[in-house]
Amino acid sequence: MCVIMKDKGCAISTVAFYLLVTGAINWGLVGLGNFFGVGDSWNLVHMILGGSAWLEWSIYVAIGICGVMLTIGCKCPKCRAAGGMAGTPPQQ
């Protein structure tokens, strides 16, 4: 799903898109933090959910699933009509 399609797909695709963007920003901040020598202190997920490791890991797994889902593409009729994600031709 491209940025232009983010609001034309189903609700699940839209949520997955925003989770994926949030995860990308978080990992960018982690990389910058390590680059500047402050370690993982810029990890937003850890800052928000720092007391609960299993919940933090669950968020990372959910973001990974969203990445796989958006790579493969959503097969629902609304997403297919919006532009044929993952090589699927749009419905007529």
Side-chain angles (χ1 to χ4, degrees):
M1 174 188 318
C2 66
V3 175
I4 297 168
M5 283 184 57
K6 72 176 170 31
D7 293 325
K8 295 180 182 175
C10 66
I12 293 173
S13 292
T14 304
V15 169
F17 174 79
Y18 286 116
L19 273 175
L20 195 63
V21 168
T22 302
I25 291 170
N26 184 57
W27 282 109
L29 288 172
V30 169
L32 282 173
N34 285 324
F35 182 73
F36 290 121
V38 292
D40 288 340
S41 62
W42 289 1
N43 186 340
L44 297 178
V45 175
H46 181 71
M47 287 171 49
I48 294 169
L49 306 171
S52 179
W54 66 270
L55 188 55
E56 185 178 346
W57 299 334
S58 298
I59 296 294
Y60 292 138
V61 168
I63 291 171
I65 291 170
C66 291
V68 170
M69 187 196 118
L70 292 179
T71 300
I72 294 171
C74 184
K75 306 295 186 213
C76 77
K78 187 173 182 181
C79 289
R80 291 175 94 181
M85 296 174 57
T88 308
Q91 291 180 346
Q92 299 297 331

